[in-house]
Amino acid sequence: MSELSKTTDAGREILDLPAREILTAFRNRNLSPVEYMTALIARVEASEPKVKALYLFRPEEALEEARAAEARYAKGAPAGCLDGMPVTIKELIATKGDPVPVGTAATELVPAPADAPTAARLREEGAILYAKTTCPDYGMLTSGLSSFHPLSRNPWDLTQNPGGSSAGAAAAAAAGYGPLHIGTDIGGSIRLPAGWTGLFGLKPSLGRVPIDPYYTGRVAGPMTPTVDDSALLMDVITRPDWRDATSLPYEKLNWDAPAADVRGLKIGLMLDAGCGNETAPEILDAVSQAADLFASHGAEVVPIAPVLTREMLDGLDYAWRARFWGIMNDLSEAQRAKILPYIHDWAEAGAHVSPQDVATGFDQTFAMRRSTSEAFQKVDVILSPVNPNVSYPADWASPTNDPARPFEHICFTVPWNMGEQPACSINCGFTQSGMPIGLQIIAPRFQDQMVFSLARAYENWRGPITNWPRIDA
């Protein structure tokens, strides 16, 4: 390990560069992939005992891949646009030869036969998948709590939760484990932790990023310190893969499109989620101030009603409980005993839901789809909070910590999964306690590029985040 990366500010400085600057330095041979990876390993080894973001961290293999990338750059023949660049992916995205525990101790650790689409696209472009990131049991918590992984914590305040289910990805990105990370999202699992950790996190239109296994509302997407870091990833992970039968026809979008000119744009401001936890005043103030910025640059901002109802949220809860209890019923009694009690108790209630209630509950996904589509008949784009809660303890399973009320915190995020619209979280300020606040930007279906352009505009007005937490400092 080099002296540069071990102790000096210079070693930390290269780790906090944007992804494009790092790759340009690799190509120009001003920075070696080995030097960068060595510095990254030093940061991870110093931080990970407290943050606990990673699974299958393999420093020696990563260094070997970095040496191979260095040799390719020396010959002027990089393997792809991400050659030598460290990336993490959420553990439930399969990587060939590695088990996929999906966050629970109940899973038998069987090696995956192949890379899932996202992992395959990254490797094709030379990315170094140096680690996977933690998630809770079955990816069904907004928390870093898991029966399989160590407890992941929020780097902004290690007593607090990073959110989830892309908990490790959020914690890793906020702690500075490189700029490029991939999560998944079926009800807010990218945007919620991105909001609580200050990141840009994108839930793309359903099918924009091929995913396997696929399910209603489930997507993969980037979680990064800046919008531009995510744009770099989207150019790669959106490439086609036959295994996702829900994927959109491939379209090469201009993810590098400039910041949007918002003059004349009609923006709906949704400050009421319709149900669930009451939104903290600090969050409402920060989101309202963000909307004022859009208005000051020429947009028309109008208040709009919520798209979610109690009936929709409860219906989804019934359907998901029953689905997961069915999965757990296939396990042995010994395996079921290993599941996180919160998740077990939540799913077990699905055993008592009637088939009619399950079917009616699942139909609420279509009610959400109609409601979200209807919202865009009156406005061009929608702004809202991401999270209603400021923060919550690291060892809680959710902001309510109550399996009888599991989804009270996802009311701003889950409708857009079922409606299939692209939506992002971008930091719009901090609470008095120093915790990040997320602004959600939502566009009509397939208008992913609009989300990026609007996020770039807001990021430019807001300015860079300069106080990222560094546990290794």
Side-chain angles (χ1 to χ4, degrees):
M1 190 175 295
S2 73
E3 289 304 310
L4 173 71
S5 62
K6 246 165 74 170
T7 56
T8 69
D9 290 340
R12 297 189 185 103
E13 193 174 298
I14 62 172
L15 290 174
D16 293 331
L17 292 172
R20 285 187 206 270
E21 287 190 31
I22 296 163
L23 288 161
T24 298
F26 287 172
R27 286 191 295 271
N28 294 340
R29 300 184 65 191
N30 296 324
L31 176 64
S32 158
V34 175
E35 182 182 9
Y36 186 85
M37 183 61 74
T38 302
L40 178 57
I41 289 168
R43 171 168 283 174
V44 169
E45 289 177 345
S47 307
E48 192 60 4
K50 295 179 180 178
V51 177
K52 305 287 189 185
L54 302 184
Y55 172 59
L56 298 181
F57 173 49
R58 295 166 173 159
E60 290 306 318
E61 290 182 22
L63 276 172
E64 185 177 342
E65 290 188 53
R67 291 185 195 104
E70 181 181 62
R72 290 191 292 270
Y73 279 113
K75 296 176 182 177
C81 67
L82 295 176
D83 200 8
M85 191 70 202
V87 182
T88 75
I89 56 173
K90 192 173 179 178
E91 85 65 341
L92 51 73
I93 299 173
T95 47
K96 185 176 180 178
D98 296 324
V100 186
V102 293
T104 179
T107 301
E108 292 184 13
L109 300 181
V110 178
D115 284 337
T118 304
R121 298 296 84 76
L122 291 166
R123 286 201 212 270
E124 288 164 3
E125 291 298 326
I128 300 174
L129 304 184
Y130 75 93
K132 303 185 81 171
T133 50
T134 63
C135 68
D137 291 53
Y138 299 104
M140 285 305 297
L141 292 178
T142 304
S143 177
L145 184 64
S146 162
S147 64
F148 180 83
H149 299 293
L151 178 64
S152 299
R153 296 176 178 272
N154 193 324
W156 291 92
D157 180 342
L158 293 169
T159 71
Q160 298 300 291
N161 211 296
S165 63
S166 303
Y177 294 7
L180 302 182
H181 307 268
I182 302 284
T184 64
D185 190 318
I186 198 171
S189 289
I190 287 173
R191 290 156 292 157
L192 293 164
W196 277 308
T197 55
L199 303 170
F200 176 79
L202 176 74
K203 183 207 81 67
S205 295
L206 185 74
R208 179 70 70 196
V209 175
I211 193 167
D212 182 34
Y214 49 84
Y215 190 72
T216 304
R218 184 171 185 255
V219 302
M223 301 175 70
T224 63
T226 70
V227 177
D228 192 61
D229 291 328
S230 283
L232 185 66
L233 283 172
M234 288 297 286
D235 194 48
V236 173
I237 65 175
T238 54
R239 294 173 193 170
D241 193 296
W242 68 268
R243 290 172 289 177
D244 186 350
T246 68
S247 61
L248 300 173
Y250 175 66
E251 184 180 3
K252 186 171 175 56
L253 298 178
N254 182 13
W255 301 106
D256 300 331
D261 181 351
V262 302
R263 287 176 294 181
L265 203 63
K266 190 170 185 180
I267 296 178
L269 178 59
M270 184 185 297
L271 295 177
D272 179 3
C275 54
N277 290 345
E278 184 177 351
T279 307
E282 285 182 285
I283 294 173
L284 293 175
D285 288 346
V287 171
S288 296
Q289 289 174 30
D292 289 344
L293 260 182
F294 281 88
S296 71
H297 285 84
E300 178 189 2
V301 177
V302 297
I304 62 169
V307 293
L308 191 70
T309 65
R310 186 83 246 174
E311 183 181 13
M312 293 175 189
L313 187 66
D314 288 347
L316 185 69
D317 186 15
Y318 297 151
W320 279 356
R321 285 178 193 250
R323 177 174 182 262
F324 276 89
W325 186 246
I327 291 171
M328 293 176 191
N329 253 343
D330 290 338
L331 302 176
S332 68
E333 187 175 339
Q335 285 176 300
R336 281 198 299 274
K338 296 178 181 179
I339 296 170
L340 195 73
Y342 182 105
I343 288 290
H344 184 280
D345 293 348
W346 166 75
E348 189 174 26
H352 310 296
V353 178
S354 72
Q356 181 179 350
D357 284 342
V358 174
T360 302
F362 186 75
D363 282 348
Q364 292 302 320
T365 64
F366 298 104
M368 288 186 222
R369 183 166 181 157
R370 182 178 183 86
S371 179
T372 53
S373 295
E374 186 177 3
F376 283 106
Q377 303 312 300
K378 298 177 182 178
V379 295
D380 302 308
V381 66
I382 294 170
L383 303 179
S384 83
V386 174
N387 310 297
N389 302 89
V390 167
S391 189
Y392 55 105
D395 59 354
W396 281 20
S398 73
T400 62
N401 207 31
D402 180 358
R405 298 187 302 125
F407 296 150
E408 303 302 299
H409 57 287
I410 68 173
C411 300
F412 283 115
T413 54
V414 71
W416 314 111
N417 291 81
M418 303 306 136
E420 304 181 7
Q421 292 85 2
C424 76
S425 175
I426 187 167
N427 177 260
C428 66
F430 295 86
T431 67
Q432 288 185 349
S433 61
M435 300 305 291
I437 298 171
L439 167 71
Q440 187 171 214
I441 303 173
I442 312 112
R445 287 176 74 207
F446 316 133
Q447 297 299 313
D448 305 63
Q449 192 172 302
M450 177 187 287
V451 171
F452 263 82
S453 294
L454 291 167
R456 282 185 191 274
Y458 180 74
E459 186 178 54
N460 289 344
W461 304 332
R462 183 206 67 195
I465 296 175
T466 58
N467 61 328
W468 289 104
R470 294 294 176 257
I471 313 302
D472 65 328

